[in-house]
Amino acid sequence: MKNPEIVCILRQISQNTNVKLPESIDFEVSDGILRINLSDKGVCANMQSNESAFEGWALCLKAWLPDLIEKVLICWNPTTHKSNLLHYERFKYRIWKFIQTYDWAENGSLFNMDYYGENLKNWVINFPCDEADKEAQGDEAILERDYIANQKGNYDIIDQQLPVGVFNNVVSKASCVMPRGKSQIDIWALRCDTLHIFELKKSNNIMVGIISELMYYVNIMNDIKNQRIKYPPNAKECEYRNFDILYNSLNSNKIHFIKGHFLAERLHPLISPAVITLLNDSHIQKMENIEYSYIVL
């Protein structure tokens, strides 16, 4: 069973005739196994795009088709030239985390995932270099500011645009491992021993990729929390965007839980409550104190 047949079943079950699968990913269900075959373009694309967001598609299809899908294989060709190595490195990290998190997910390529166990110890994360722009740029930025202003009383601290660029040993353009610049957490907050991470989308941006994006940010921050990835030494001097409070909380092991929140007026029609339940159904995430939820904006 391939894309057209899968779409037909999804439309029947969801009672939504607008449900589609990305044409750039080949989906195949056979003998209880879902194979998600990503193109070279997909593995180098923005992680929230339909052609790259394998986490979202895997979780949605498995949650909607539990009688047909027991295992999920993420497949791609690791031997071909890749057009964007930074996005590709992030893709491989995402794969590694996904198959670690869910016992029903497997690497369907020939790429050796042990690579990341060795390299993580050399990675550092960048941090804010200035305050956020005084004037919000764009609709989602305005929504971010409004949400932060309205929620200040509910958290010990809440702020925006936390960089999560990954670098090798030092923060520099030459040592960049994954995309930087716009690679930032929309909103973050601290309350007691919990770090909250919010991925905000405006009402006309309802892509499945919100799952992939939030999972990536949560996994990066969890690796920082557990000191698998570190901030560079000069990060302790930063006070922009309340980063010093976050840094000190991480450095003193005060953060024990991470909660990732989808923050939107509405989600993609395939992101049902069952999908979020499946997203949280992981022994690894429970052990690491990670939890996801949907907050209506």
Side-chain angles (χ1 to χ4, degrees), residues 56-72:
W57 296 114
L59 286 158
C60 286
L61 291 181
K62 192 173 190 311
W64 279 96
L65 306 173
D67 296 333
L68 297 176
I69 299 171
E70 296 177 8
K71 289 272 186 186
V72 176

Side-chain angles (χ1 to χ4, degrees), residues 239-275:
E239 297 181 353
Y240 296 121
R241 306 180 210 172
N242 287 302
F243 176 78
D244 53 323
I245 298 174
L246 173 63
Y247 178 86
N248 290 331
S249 296
L250 288 164
N251 205 41
S252 58
N253 297 316
K254 290 182 179 178
I255 297 174
H256 299 149
F257 300 87
I258 296 181
K259 292 188 176 182
H261 306 288
F262 303 106
L263 185 59
E265 289 184 19
R266 58 195 180 110
L267 296 173
H268 188 281
L270 287 181
I271 306 179
S272 64
V275 172

Side-chain angles (χ1 to χ4, degrees), residues 7 11 14-21 268-269:
V7 167
R11 288 177 176 177
S14 66
Q15 297 184 330
N16 187 328
T17 57
N18 293 319
V19 167
K20 298 178 182 178
L21 292 176
H268 188 281

Side-chain angles (χ1 to χ4, degrees), residues 227-243:
Q227 299 183 357
R228 302 179 189 118
I229 303 175
K230 298 178 176 62
Y231 282 109
N234 59 333
K236 63 185 178 183
E237 301 167 8
C238 175
E239 297 181 353
Y240 296 121
R241 306 180 210 172
N242 287 302
F243 176 78

Side-chain angles (χ1 to χ4, degrees), residues 61-275:
L61 291 181
K62 192 173 190 311
W64 279 96
L65 306 173
D67 296 333
L68 297 176
I69 299 171
E70 296 177 8
K71 289 272 186 186
V72 176
L73 294 183
I74 314 298
C75 308
W76 81 99
N77 187 346
T79 65
T80 55
H81 171 74
K82 300 299 183 288
S83 60
N84 189 316
L85 292 180
L86 297 182
H87 278 287
Y88 184 50
E89 283 300 321
R90 182 162 66 183
F91 167 80
K92 290 186 290 186
Y93 172 82
R94 290 162 49 209
I95 287 274
W96 180 61
K97 283 296 181 181
F98 195 72
I99 64 176
Q100 275 191 329
T101 301
Y102 300 107
D103 57 11
W104 45 262
E106 295 181 4
N107 170 20
S109 81
L110 298 175
F111 182 75
N112 182 6
M113 285 296 165
D114 291 340
Y115 163 84
Y116 281 104
E118 289 297 317
N119 283 270
L120 235 64
K121 61 186 179 184
N122 298 320
W123 288 358
V124 295
I125 302 291
N126 60 344
F127 51 89
C129 296
D130 52 25
E131 295 293 353
D133 292 337
K134 291 184 178 180
E135 296 295 328
Q137 304 294 321
D139 294 341
E140 287 189 352
I142 293 171
L143 290 172
E144 286 174 17
R145 305 274 176 113
D146 289 346
Y147 188 80
I148 290 170
N150 292 331
Q151 293 294 319
K152 282 188 175 180
N154 294 324
Y155 297 95
D156 301 328
I157 195 74
I158 183 168
D159 218 306
Q160 62 183 339
Q161 298 302 308
L162 177 66
V164 285
V166 179
F167 301 80
N168 197 29
N169 290 312
V170 296
V171 176
S172 71
K173 185 176 181 180
S175 63
C176 194
V177 175
M178 299 182 197
R180 61 192 196 283
K182 292 185 178 180
S183 185
Q184 302 186 70
I185 293 169
D186 289 339
I187 300 171
W188 63 273
L190 290 174
R191 183 166 57 206
C192 299
D193 60 355
T194 302
L195 170 62
H196 297 263
I197 297 171
F198 303 83
E199 181 55 32
L200 182 148
K201 297 297 180 191
K202 58 183 181 179
S203 59
N204 64 346
N205 186 0
I206 54 168
M207 299 170 71
V208 163
I210 192 174
I211 294 177
S212 301
E213 204 166 5
L214 184 58
M215 287 189 76
Y216 172 73
Y217 295 143
V218 166
N219 283 326
I220 285 286
M221 294 309 299
N222 187 57
D223 278 339
I224 295 172
K225 174 177 79 73
N226 291 298
Q227 299 183 357
R228 302 179 189 118
I229 303 175
K230 298 178 176 62
Y231 282 109
N234 59 333
K236 63 185 178 183
E237 301 167 8
C238 175
E239 297 181 353
Y240 296 121
R241 306 180 210 172
N242 287 302
F243 176 78
D244 53 323
I245 298 174
L246 173 63
Y247 178 86
N248 290 331
S249 296
L250 288 164
N251 205 41
S252 58
N253 297 316
K254 290 182 179 178
I255 297 174
H256 299 149
F257 300 87
I258 296 181
K259 292 188 176 182
H261 306 288
F262 303 106
L263 185 59
E265 289 184 19
R266 58 195 180 110
L267 296 173
H268 188 281
L270 287 181
I271 306 179
S272 64
V275 172

